[in-house]
Amino acid sequence: MASAVSVAASPSPLAATSSPARRLRHAALPSARGPRSPALRAVFGPAGNRLGVVGRGLSVLCAVQGQDTTIQVPEVTKATWQSLVMESELPVLVEFWASWCGPCKMIDPIVGKLSKEYEGKLKCYKLNTDENPDIASQYGVRSIPTMMMFKNGEKKDSVIRAVPESTLVTCIEKFTER
């Protein structure tokens, strides 16, 4: 509080233009130590998702410890594209993504959940556009995340951006038998 008194006593640009009450409010504020307080820190899970905030003797977690609740979608690359996507007997949903893309991280658990729900009726893969730019440009991917449906080796439909699960279900239902 000693710093607050010294700030109030020192002349500032606020002194000439603001009321005494406003100057007092600014003087009573504690000094900042940077953009984040060292007393609080975020806790991240194994998949990079934020689980909660820990600090000052408190612990808040939003996931069940010891369980990974997301279903991992297998990767497809240039080397495996032909056999996994083009020659598949089932319809294929391919998620075009990148590791730095926030919306891609949001939609990935939804694609994983749908791959489990449609197991035996649909195959789901994800393609990293940074590692496989030639396939992404071949299919005109300009924005990620982009989900594309393939059936009998042909591109049938695409959904661009992170969308609600119901939008993906509508797209999938057009090309699968439930």
Side-chain angles (χ1 to χ4, degrees):
M1 212 45 151
S3 65
V5 172
S6 64
V7 170
S10 65
S12 73
L14 287 173
T17 60
S18 62
S19 69
R22 182 174 173 154
R23 284 192 306 268
L24 185 57
R25 273 192 309 238
H26 287 284
L29 294 175
S31 62
R33 294 184 195 151
R36 293 185 184 205
S37 172
L40 297 176
R41 63 183 168 84
V43 178
F44 294 89
N49 53 337
R50 186 173 170 170
L51 297 177
V53 178
V54 175
R56 297 188 181 140
L58 301 176
S59 176
V60 179
L61 294 179
C62 300
V64 178
Q65 290 182 341
Q67 286 184 327
D68 188 10
T69 56
T70 59
I71 298 164
Q72 297 297 318
V73 178
E75 293 255 353
V76 65
T77 63
K78 183 178 180 180
T80 59
W81 180 262
Q82 186 67 30
S83 62
L84 294 178
V85 178
M86 303 312 283
E87 296 172 0
S88 175
E89 294 189 14
L90 293 174
V92 179
L93 176 69
V94 179
E95 174 191 357
F96 291 82
W97 72 287
S99 60
W100 49 263
C101 170
C104 298
K105 292 176 185 177
M106 291 170 45
I107 197 115
D108 191 49
I110 296 171
V111 174
K113 178 182 172 192
L114 293 174
S115 72
K116 184 77 169 168
E117 285 182 21
Y118 288 91
E119 196 169 6
K121 298 177 182 118
L122 174 77
K123 295 198 179 237
C124 294
Y125 299 105
K126 59 185 190 176
L127 181 123
N128 188 323
T129 57
D130 288 338
E131 296 172 3
N132 303 282
D134 47 344
I135 294 176
S137 63
Q138 178 183 346
Y139 289 97
V141 175
R142 294 174 167 229
S143 178
I144 54 174
T146 294
M147 282 63 60
M148 282 191 193
M149 283 294 300
F150 292 86
K151 188 170 184 178
N152 300 324
E154 294 179 23
K155 174 186 164 187
K156 296 292 185 181
D157 201 0
S158 64
V159 177
I160 301 170
R161 295 189 309 237
V163 294
E165 182 179 338
S166 60
T167 304
L168 288 177
V169 168
T170 302
C171 178
I172 291 169
E173 291 287 326
K174 291 190 255 183
F175 304 103
T176 61
E177 292 107 33
R178 200 146 199 197

